Amino acid sequence: MEQENSVNRGDRDWHDNEDEELLVAKEIESYREPLVMKRVNTTSQIAIVGANLCPIESLDYEIIENELFNQDWRSKKKIEIFQYVVLKWGFALIIGLFTGLVGFFNNIAVENIAGFKLLLTEKLMAQHKYYKAFAAYTGCNIGLAAAGGALCAFIAPAAAGSGIPEVKAYLNGIDAHSILAPSTLFVKIFGSILGVSAGFVMGKEGPMVHTGACLASILGQGGSRKYHLTWKCLRYFKNDRDRRDLITCGAAAGVTAAFRAPVGGVLFALEEAASWWRSALLWRTFFTTAVVAIVLRAFTEYCSTGKCGQFAQGGLIMYDVSSAKTMYGVQDMLAALLLGLIGGVFGSLYNYLVDKVLRTYSIINEKGAASKIFLVISIALLTSCCSYGLPWLGTCIPCPADLMASCPTTDGSGNYERFQCPSGYYNDLASLFLNTRDDAIRNLFSSSTKGEFHISSLFIFFAAVYVLGIITYGIAVPSGLFIPVILAGASYGRLLGRLFASIAKLDTGLYALLGAASFLGGTMRMTVSLCVILLELTNDLLLLPLVMLVLLISKTVADTFNKGVYDQIVKMKGLPYMEAHAEPYMRHLVARDVITGPLISFNGVEKVGNILHALKTTGHNGFPVIDEPPFCNASELCGLVLRSHLLVLLKGKVFSRERVLAREEILCRFAAFDFAKAGSGKGINLEDVDIEEEEMEMFVDLHPITNASPYTVVETMSLAKAAILFRQVGLRHMCVVPKSQARPPIVGILTRHDFMPQHILGLYPHVNPHE
C-alpha cells in the first residue's frame, strides 16, 4: 500500500503507512483506542502508532457540477422532475410503513417470548420448585442470548450495540457499507428480539433507530443491476445526498417505532443524528414518523382484541402517567434541581464506566466468534442470577385493599408479582426484576402507588440495573441504552419521591419520570428531543416545565466531566467525526498550516499513462485539474475530478492521439448516470480498467467530468472557520487557493482527515489543545 500525500489525498481520512502490516483493516464494530500520531520527517509522512483503524472514506454529499451533470439537468423534462419528487415522498411512505411493521413485530415477539418464559418461571415458583424455576429461567435466558450472540458473531458483527453512533457517523459523512448492509438489518431485528427476550438490561429502542436507517439505505440504493431493478426513475437516487436524506427519515422513524413519539423522532434526527438539515427534509421526516405512528396505532387497536398472543398487547401501550395529579410547589422544584444534579453526576460516571468496559470488551471480542459468544453467555448468566436471586432480599408485602387490579398478578406481568410470597402478598423486587424491561418501567412510572416499593428495594434495583446496564453494553448482541438509563433514572427518581413523600405534592410516579429524564440528559446530552419523547411517552404535558428544568441541569452538570455517550462511542470506534464546533486551538492556525506533501494534479487534457500511474500509486480520491496554455491564457484551476469518475472515463477509452479537447465526443458517449455513485455494491475498480501499452501515450479530455465549481478557501483562512464551513456544507474536498496570483492556482486540498485533532496535534505537538 503506497504512502498517501495529505495535500490531495481526496477523501481518505487517514494516512496509509508504507508497511502494510501497520494498518490492519479491522471490523468496523470493534472499539478503538484513540489514535496517536507523530511527525516523522519534513516530507510529512505520518506514522500511525498503535492504530487498528479501518481506512474509512468520506461520502460525496456535494453535488458534482460538471458538464455531464449540467447537460443532464438541462435535458430533464417536467415529468421527470415530478417523478423524482413523488418518488422521494413515496420512499418516505415506504420507510414509515416498513419501520412501523418491524417495530410491531419486535414488540409482538419480545412480549410473547419473554412472557411465556416468565409464566413458566412463575408456575414452577407457585409449586415451590424454586431450583427448577431458576434452572428454567436461566436456561431460557442463556439459550436466547447464545442465539443472539451467534447471529452477531457469525453473520453481521456490525449489528452489535445500539447502532446510533454508527448512523450518526454515516450522516456526518463517514462511509462504511457494513453498517447499513442487509445482513446487518437481519441480525439487528432478530438479534434484538433474542437479546431483549433473554432478560438483558438493554432495550430495543437504539437498535430500532439502526433498523430504520438500514431499511432506508436499502430503499435508497437507486436500483440494482444484480436483481434487475434498473428502472430509470430509481436512478435518481444513485447519489449520497438523497441516500443521506432517506437514512435521516429512517432514523427518525426508528425512534417513533420504539417510543410511539412521532414529534420526538423528528427532533431526535434533528438534534442528535443528522449533521445537515433542510426545511424540505423536515417535512419528509415528519411525514415518515406520522406514517409510523398510524401503523402502530392500527396494530394497537388490532391487538386489543387479543389476536396477537397472550402477552403481545403490553408492548404497544405507552407509559401513561396522565392519571396522576400534576401539582407541584417550591419543594418539588428543589427536588427537581436535586434530581438534575444527581442525573448529571451519575450520567457522566455512567459514560466513563461504559468507556472502560467497551475498551475491555474490545480485547475479548477481537479473539474471535467463540470469545464473543462466551462473553454473551457469561453476562446472561450473571443477569439471570441477579434477576432471580435479588428478589429473595425483598419482603412480602400485603396487597393493597382498595386495588382494582389483581394482586398478586396472575397473568405473567404486572405490578404485583407473587414470587415466593403466600396468597394475598407480593414481592416488590420481583415485580421489577422478573418482568420485561418495559413492564418494569410501567411499574416504576405507575401513579397512585406511593408505597408499592420499599426504599431498600428501589436502592437495590437501582444499583443492580446501573451496574448490569454498564457491563451489558458492548457484548455481541444488538442492545440499546435508552431502557437501562430510563430504568436506573426512574428507580432513583422514585426513591427520592419516597424520601420527599411527607412534603412533596408530586406523585411518586412523576418523580420516577423526572429521574429518568435527569439520567437521560446526563448520559445522552440531548434536551429538546428527550423532553418531547418523554412527554409523548407519558402523555403528561403539565410536567413540561419540570422536565425541561431537569434536562437542562443534568446536561450542564454532566458536560463539565465528559461528552455524551454516543459521542464517546464514535470516538472509541475511531470514526473521523466532524464536530459542529471547531476546537479552540484551530483559531490560531490557518488552512495552509495543515497541508502536507507534494501536490498531485492533472492537466485539463492529460496523458492516459499519467492518470493510470497516479491511480495506481496513490489512494487519493480527488485530484485538482489545472488548465494551462494553449487552453487558457495563464495557469488556472479548472476544478476537481474524482477517482471514480476517472475510472469510468478510462474504461470508456475515449482517447485521442493529439492533445486536443474532446468535449462533444465524451458528452455523446457518456450519460450522467454512467458516473453515478454505486450503492452497497462495488463500483469500477482499477483492476477493471484494461489499458494497452500503446494507449498509455494517448490523451484524454478531463473537462466534461471535472467539477468546475469546487468549494475553495484562501490559504490564510482560519482553520476553525474552514472546519465549520467544511461540516456545514457537507464537503468531501475543500480546495485551498493561494492569496497571491503570481503563484500556482492551488496550494492543496483539505479533507476530513486534515481537521482531525490527531493529525493537527501530530503536526504541531507543542500546541495546547485546550487553548
Side-chain angles (χ1 to χ4, degrees):
M1 188 178 293
E2 295 292 336
Q3 174 67 30
E4 293 186 5
N5 300 311
S6 69
V7 70
N8 68 331
R9 184 177 47 262
D11 67 335
R12 292 301 288 262
D13 298 307
W14 307 99
H15 290 277
D16 296 329
N17 195 276
E18 290 178 349
D19 186 356
E20 192 173 14
E21 295 180 357
L22 291 180
L23 189 58
V24 183
K26 296 286 187 177
E27 296 173 347
I28 188 62
E29 86 289 355
S30 58
Y31 296 92
R32 305 299 176 199
E33 294 289 341
L35 219 59
V36 181
M37 291 179 163
K38 64 180 181 181
R39 187 72 174 269
V40 177
N41 55 34
T42 56
T43 60
S44 302
Q45 292 179 336
I46 305 296
I48 302 180
V49 182
N52 293 321
L53 190 68
C54 285
I56 302 172
E57 299 180 353
S58 298
L59 295 164
D60 289 301
Y61 289 156
E62 180 186 1
I63 295 177
I64 308 301
E65 296 181 352
N66 53 37
E67 292 185 32
L68 278 167
F69 171 83
N70 293 330
Q71 177 179 267
D72 180 70
W73 183 255
R74 287 191 299 265
S75 64
K76 284 188 182 296
K77 301 177 182 178
K78 290 184 178 180
I79 185 64
E80 292 178 315
I81 298 175
F82 179 75
Q83 287 176 346
Y84 170 66
V85 174
V86 170
L87 202 58
K88 285 199 291 187
W89 285 93
F91 277 169
L93 173 65
I94 296 173
I95 291 169
L97 288 173
F98 276 93
T99 308
L101 289 172
V102 170
F104 166 73
F105 173 73
N106 279 3
N107 282 318
I108 294 297
V110 169
E111 291 292 324
N112 279 285
I113 294 173
F116 284 115
K117 175 191 69 177
L118 295 171
L119 185 60
L120 173 62
T121 305
E122 183 182 338
K123 287 181 178 179
L124 293 173
M125 291 287 295
Q127 299 171 11
H128 303 288
K129 299 178 180 178
Y130 301 129
Y131 290 106
K132 287 186 177 180
F134 173 71
Y137 179 74
T138 305
C140 290
N141 285 345
I142 290 177
L144 292 168
L151 284 177
C152 265
F154 292 110
I155 299 179
S162 72
I164 293 179
E166 290 85 350
V167 173
K168 182 176 179 178
Y170 185 92
L171 294 176
N172 187 260
I174 300 169
D175 188 12
H177 291 304
S178 61
I179 290 175
L180 302 173
S183 59
T184 304
L185 173 63
F186 173 81
V187 174
K188 206 73 181 183
I189 295 173
F190 292 98
S192 175
I193 292 172
L194 293 169
V196 176
S197 301
F200 284 119
V201 181
M202 64 172 61
K204 54 186 179 293
E205 285 69 20
M208 273 306 305
V209 176
H210 196 176
T211 298
C214 288
L215 288 168
S217 176
I218 292 173
L219 287 172
Q221 293 301 306
S224 171
R225 291 187 177 94
K226 180 179 179 181
Y227 298 104
H228 306 290
L229 299 174
T230 55
W231 303 316
K232 185 177 180 180
C233 56
L234 291 177
R235 299 178 181 179
Y236 300 143
F237 293 89
K238 280 198 171 294
N239 63 84
D240 288 328
R241 174 172 288 203
D242 284 321
R243 289 175 194 154
R244 174 193 70 188
D245 291 350
L246 290 175
I247 291 170
T248 303
C249 292
V255 175
T256 305
F259 293 109
R260 275 70 68 191
V263 179
V266 175
L267 293 175
F268 175 86
L270 171 62
E271 183 178 6
E272 182 66 15
S275 295
W276 297 283
W277 198 263
R278 296 178 292 116
S279 58
L281 180 59
L282 175 66
W283 282 101
R284 281 197 298 277
T285 307
F286 185 72
F287 172 69
T288 305
T289 58
V291 172
V292 177
I294 293 171
V295 170
L296 291 179
R297 181 63 184 174
F299 280 108
T300 301
E301 295 294 333
Y302 177 77
C303 289
S304 64
T305 61
K307 298 179 180 179
C308 300
Q310 184 176 359
F311 307 99
Q313 186 179 351
L316 292 174
I317 297 177
M318 291 194 305
Y319 314 129
D320 193 350
V321 298
S322 59
S323 59
K325 194 174 182 180
T326 307
M327 293 181 62
Y328 48 89
V330 176
Q331 63 274 23
D332 296 304
M333 297 286 288
L334 295 176
L337 291 173
L338 180 59
L339 279 173
L341 291 172
I342 295 173
V345 173
F346 279 148
S348 59
L349 178 61
Y350 192 90
N351 292 358
Y352 173 80
L353 294 175
V354 164
D355 180 276
K356 299 302 180 184
V357 169
L358 291 179
R359 294 180 187 277
T360 303
Y361 284 174
S362 67
I363 301 173
I364 300 174
N365 290 334
E366 286 178 356
K367 294 181 179 179
S371 298
K372 293 181 180 180
I373 297 174
F374 177 76
L375 179 60
V376 170
I377 293 175
S378 301
I379 300 300
L381 178 61
L382 176 61
T383 304
S384 300
C385 292
C386 291
S387 298
Y388 187 85
L390 290 177
W392 290 94
L393 301 177
T395 57
C396 293
I397 305 172
C399 291
D402 56 345
L403 191 65
M404 300 295 294
S406 61
C407 180
T409 306
T410 58
D411 61 353
S413 63
N415 283 39
Y416 305 99
E417 292 294 330
R418 182 177 175 180
F419 200 59
Q420 88 289 9
C421 297
S423 180
Y425 289 79
Y426 73 95
N427 186 310
D428 58 347
L429 269 176
S431 302
L432 296 174
F433 280 111
L434 291 179
N435 258 322
T436 63
R437 301 310 171 198
D438 286 0
D439 285 332
I441 294 175
R442 289 186 184 87
N443 295 345
L444 290 170
F445 281 1
S446 60
S447 56
S448 303
T449 54
K450 182 169 63 175
E452 179 183 351
F453 302 102
H454 277 307
I455 293 177
S456 59
S457 298
L458 290 171
F459 180 80
I460 292 172
F461 183 72
F462 165 70
V465 168
Y466 193 91
V467 174
L468 289 174
I470 291 171
I471 65 174
T472 301
Y473 193 81
I475 61 176
V477 172
S479 57
L481 285 169
F482 274 99
I483 292 301
V485 170
I486 292 175
L487 280 170
S491 57
Y492 76 67
R494 193 172 182 105
L495 174 61
L496 189 66
R498 287 295 308 276
L499 296 176
F500 280 38
S502 58
I503 60 173
K505 294 183 180 180
L506 274 179
D507 188 271
T508 52
L510 298 182
Y511 268 101
L513 172 62
L514 293 177
S518 68
F519 205 179
L520 284 168
T523 54
M524 300 179 183
R525 314 296 163 83
M526 294 180 284
T527 53
V528 179
S529 56
L530 282 179
C531 183
V532 175
I533 287 173
L534 287 171
L535 293 178
E536 289 185 288
L537 197 66
T538 57
N539 195 25
D540 190 0
L541 191 60
L542 295 176
L543 209 61
L544 175 62
L546 288 182
V547 173
M548 294 174 65
L549 178 64
V550 165
L551 284 171
L552 287 171
I553 294 174
S554 62
K555 182 184 184 302
T556 303
V557 171
D559 278 341
T560 61
F561 297 101
N562 50 35
K563 290 186 176 182
V565 63
Y566 295 136
D567 293 323
Q568 286 191 171
I569 294 172
V570 167
K571 183 178 180 181
M572 280 187 292
K573 291 195 171 187
L575 299 172
Y577 186 84
M578 288 287 295
E579 298 287 351
H581 57 84
E583 297 294 335
Y585 59 84
M586 290 185 180
R587 295 194 299 267
H588 307 297
L589 300 171
V590 295
R592 66 168 174 243
D593 291 336
V594 296
I595 296 175
T596 55
L599 179 66
I600 298 177
S601 61
F602 296 133
N603 290 319
V605 181
E606 184 60 81
K607 186 179 290 186
V608 173
N610 292 342
I611 298 176
L612 201 61
H613 176 75
L615 295 179
K616 285 181 178 179
T617 58
T618 69
H620 308 166
N621 285 277
F623 299 87
V625 177
I626 299 174
D627 264 338
E628 294 180 348
F631 300 107
C632 58
N633 295 328
S635 180
E636 62 181 30
L637 178 64
C638 177
L640 195 74
V641 65
L642 298 181
R643 167 186 283 264
S644 59
H645 292 184
L646 286 172
L647 290 173
V648 175
L649 188 62
L650 290 179
K651 190 174 183 180
K653 295 190 175 184
V654 185
F655 306 148
S656 60
R657 298 190 179 277
E658 303 295 331
R659 194 165 179 260
V660 295
L661 297 175
R663 176 180 179 275
E664 296 300 330
E665 186 178 356
I666 292 176
L667 292 178
C668 293
R669 177 76 175 273
F670 294 97
F673 173 69
D674 297 326
F675 296 88
K677 182 72 176 286
S680 57
K682 295 181 180 179
I684 298 177
N685 295 320
L686 190 59
E687 293 76 15
D688 300 326
V689 179
D690 183 20
I691 302 296
E692 297 178 2
E693 187 66 29
E694 59 186 32
E695 294 173 330
M696 299 288 281
E697 298 299 322
M698 300 179 73
F699 294 89
V700 59
D701 186 5
L702 302 182
H703 290 93
I705 65 168
T706 299
N707 182 8
S709 57
Y711 283 88
T712 61
V713 296
V714 69
E715 61 181 341
T716 54
M717 175 181 281
S718 163
L719 188 62
K721 190 175 180 180
I724 293 173
L725 176 64
F726 190 97
R727 185 186 191 273
Q728 288 181 345
V729 181
L731 299 181
R732 185 181 186 182
H733 313 96
M734 175 182 283
C735 297
V736 181
V737 297
K739 192 173 183 180
S740 171
Q741 295 182 354
R743 298 167 56 192
I746 184 169
V747 176
I749 294 178
L750 292 177
T751 64
R752 181 177 295 268
H753 160 78
D754 297 301
F755 296 104
M756 293 295 108
Q758 294 89 347
H759 171 65
I760 299 172
L761 298 178
L763 293 175
Y764 303 98
H766 302 296
V767 170
N768 188 341
H770 304 293
E771 292 183 356

